[in-house]
Amino acid sequence: MAKRNMVKITGKGSASEVKPGVYKYYYSLGKDPETGKYRKSPKRTLHCVSKNKRGREAELRKAMEVYREELETGITPEKYTNDTVGEYADLFHELRKGALGSELSWKREALDVEHIKELFGPVKLSELRPHHVKRAYADAREKGRYSENELHKIHAKLSQIMKEAVDEGFLLKNPCSSIKVPRPAPRERSALSIQEASRLQSTLLEQIEELLSSGDVIRSGQALPHLIGTLTLLDTGMRRGEMLGLDWEHVDLESGVVFVELQFANDKKLRAPKSPKSKRYLKVGGSLLSVLNEWKDLQGRYFSAILKSQSANSPVVNNDWGGNMDPNNYSRWFRDWCVKNEFGERTDEPKEFRDANGQKRWSKTGYVGLTPHMLRHTQATLLIGANTDIKTVQSRLGHSSANLTMDIYAHAIAEKDALAAETIESLLTK
């Protein structure tokens, strides 16, 4: 706990430059009521970052303001005085286990904490200053150690950790609060053209129809889920995990509406989707609705063949044993399927290896082409291109705000805006 021992400061404080860029400073605390002697605070040392005199004087004034506030409020960190930023960050992360909603989110935070330890680990928590943070980011940029997006995430997590230290009374001020590391502008998202998307839909429907009518329940039951999952991504703009988490309870075949309530992502646990706005109703197209009607019946027969019962909680896109499909297995199948159907290609030669069971395997690296997430961008780009309003696009994609949708798809919006400008010019000059 923080210790409170407020004092009365007299004067503006004293400082002396002991060598270029290094200052020692302290405050007078008035007379000791018992001894009558004048007291002064412990001296502190400041190592300035600035190279010029004016910059060093500004740093000194700031450091003395912080010290004065610490003395006047009487908050002096005891418990974590000797802890480093890395040690406190580890404790912060450890105490949040189970509080982030998913194991995957907690593991992702662990990566941010490791980056923080790399940049600031040895620095004492009580001694971290804004210039330390700025210098670490500048060095990381110069060395190319982290991208701007990674630095943005690191700074957001460091700010959160330092705020916790302030709230607990171990710091007086958050050393990150005056530093801005803006989120980089979203890069232009890859998407299929309307012609490419039409070819993809036609290819999927053709292969799905062939399997639905084959009469081979086992073969169809194992091959169809991947194809139907891909058609669902194209038709609805769902995230991969949302598609893999969809069950029959949330599919209304009569009205042609599905409700996104769960996702099955890389942590392989059924849980709530990315944000509250991600829970949404989606109207499906006629082609997908027809496929889902036939697939539900065939899936029931496939489950019976593998001695499993189909229920409302059965996943629409199942694995060979009737459970939720592993996201990585789906993505691996997706790449292979795209290569076979000319939506992607391999850039490296496959490599032969043996797995833990001694079975011969091939690694297929160097893939370039369509990805599952590109189908989400395709949905948004095509809708914006067809003059669908942004709120509808936001709702369909499950974005937390319309601003996020506009930021991500600014390129598509700009293209439509340019077309609008040409249209109004044409109308006015007729």
Side-chain angles (χ1 to χ4, degrees), residues 152-216:
H152 171 77
K153 290 179 62 181
I154 291 168
H155 185 65
K157 187 56 61 178
L158 180 65
S159 298
Q160 184 182 9
I161 292 171
M162 292 300 103
K163 181 181 183 301
E164 179 93 351
V166 172
D167 292 344
E168 291 187 350
F170 305 129
L171 291 179
L172 290 169
K173 288 187 176 181
N174 186 337
C176 299
S177 59
S178 62
I179 301 171
K180 304 299 181 186
V181 182
R183 183 192 297 272
R187 59 182 175 82
E188 186 171 323
R189 307 302 178 103
S190 298
L192 298 177
S193 67
I194 184 63
Q195 293 79 13
E196 292 169 328
S198 295
R199 184 172 80 84
L200 176 61
Q201 185 194 50
S202 297
T203 305
L204 289 167
L205 288 173
E206 182 180 330
Q207 295 182 13
I208 289 170
E209 180 58 34
E210 187 273 326
L211 287 166
L212 285 172
S213 60
S214 70
D216 188 337

Side-chain angles (χ1 to χ4, degrees), residues 132-333:
H132 291 131
V133 179
K134 293 177 181 178
R135 174 57 59 194
Y137 294 162
D139 289 345
R141 289 187 180 100
E142 184 178 346
K143 296 174 183 176
R145 175 66 183 89
Y146 296 109
S147 68
E148 284 302 313
N149 191 55
E150 288 171 326
L151 284 176
H152 171 77
K153 290 179 62 181
I154 291 168
H155 185 65
K157 187 56 61 178
L158 180 65
S159 298
Q160 184 182 9
I161 292 171
M162 292 300 103
K163 181 181 183 301
E164 179 93 351
V166 172
D167 292 344
E168 291 187 350
F170 305 129
L171 291 179
L172 290 169
K173 288 187 176 181
N174 186 337
C176 299
S177 59
S178 62
I179 301 171
K180 304 299 181 186
V181 182
R183 183 192 297 272
R187 59 182 175 82
E188 186 171 323
R189 307 302 178 103
S190 298
L192 298 177
S193 67
I194 184 63
Q195 293 79 13
E196 292 169 328
S198 295
R199 184 172 80 84
L200 176 61
Q201 185 194 50
S202 297
T203 305
L204 289 167
L205 288 173
E206 182 180 330
Q207 295 182 13
I208 289 170
E209 180 58 34
E210 187 273 326
L211 287 166
L212 285 172
S213 60
S214 70
D216 188 337
V217 173
I218 296 297
R219 173 173 170 261
S220 298
Q222 293 178 344
L224 275 168
H226 305 82
L227 294 167
I228 292 171
T230 305
L231 184 63
T232 301
L233 294 180
L234 177 63
D235 187 88
T236 65
M238 286 185 192
R239 300 175 179 90
R240 181 190 64 174
E242 293 170 346
M243 174 272 289
L244 295 174
L246 184 66
D247 58 28
W248 291 112
E249 182 181 2
H250 296 97
V251 177
D252 187 339
L253 293 174
E254 289 187 10
S255 63
V257 172
V258 299
F259 180 59
V260 179
E261 186 178 52
L262 300 168
Q263 67 169 333
F264 190 75
N266 285 334
D267 57 357
K268 301 181 182 66
K269 292 181 180 178
L270 278 171
R271 54 183 173 83
K274 195 170 184 180
S275 70
K277 289 286 182 70
S278 294
K279 291 187 175 184
R280 61 201 186 277
Y281 289 96
L282 292 170
K283 184 74 175 179
V284 302
S287 297
L288 176 58
L289 181 60
S290 176
V291 165
L292 289 176
N293 270 288
E294 292 189 65
W295 167 235
K296 186 174 184 181
D297 177 67
L298 194 150
Q299 187 196 65
R301 287 185 280 128
Y302 172 72
F303 278 15
S304 295
I306 62 172
L307 305 180
K308 184 179 178 66
S309 297
Q310 186 187 48
S311 70
N313 300 126
S314 296
V316 175
V317 178
N318 58 276
N319 60 23
D320 289 354
W321 302 277
N324 291 94
M325 185 179 293
D326 186 311
N328 294 321
N329 288 344
Y330 170 76
S331 292
R332 191 178 302 113
W333 169 90

